[in-house]
Amino acid sequence: MDHQIFKPCPDLAPFVKCYWTLESEQENTPVRNTIVPDGCMKLIFHYGDPYKHHPKSGDAQILPEFFLIGQLTQPYEVEPMGETGTFFVCFHPNGFLPFAPYPIKDMENTAVPLEKLFGSAGREIGQQVLEASTTSERISLMERFLLERLTDAQNVDLIVKSTIETILTANGRLSINDLSKQNNVNRRNLLRKFSSTIGLSPKQLSKTIRLQATLKTLLNEETVKLTDLAYENDFYDQAHFIKDFKEFTGQTPKDFYGDHLKMSLIFDRKK
């Protein structure tokens, strides 16, 4: 399994967190992969074989070749149908807003085809990315596409940006009241801003970031006691930790540890 991470150009750095590539033969990829919420929306291009999505209820659905995955508030289970070749554009939690043609909240837990987002231009850029022969070419295509849609009128909300940075620095351990005080913003105003720019509440993003920090500990340390892990990450107790863990992964920590964890955090593990 081959995976790489690339940085965006300076003009897109306030919006794009990174680019990813993932390539793998089918026999080297878990039959099912649970995508765990991480607070980041992503453009996904399958230049390899397609993937299926297995929703909680209903039949499995073949995912589009190129699409946006909206903010996730629950585990998103996918299955490779052959050889994996995938290119990702990962946005900061508030990074997709300048490019969104309709409310961020409406994209929650949804794979939105690029054609629905950007019309014929979305279909055209999707095909170009799939047909590109190198990662650098795919990055150049996407950066040109995004920069053309970035205008001076679409400024980063500094309050939201500051609050996100606080949440990330604290690994999601601060209360909403603490976030409001530290960033000198009214709680109700903060909730409204988060809903419109991120599609998540500050509490939802904080829970997501805290769980991601916990998952990274599970991945990078050989032995971890769940009770210690819960208290280290400011969960009330082990029961609270397991409840949140199942909400975002669909499984208990014991059941999730292994291939699911490794695939979910493939771009976050220590080198």
Side-chain angles (χ1 to χ4, degrees), residues 211-224:
L211 184 66
Q212 284 289 326
T214 306
L215 287 176
K216 290 169 190 174
T217 302
L218 274 174
L219 179 65
N220 292 316
E221 295 187 12
E222 292 184 2
T223 57
V224 181

Side-chain angles (χ1 to χ4, degrees), residues 6-16 19 139 143-144 147:
F6 303 87
K7 293 181 179 180
C9 68
D11 287 342
L12 285 173
F15 312 98
V16 176
Y19 305 104
I139 292 173
E143 294 204 325
R144 189 180 311 122
L147 286 170

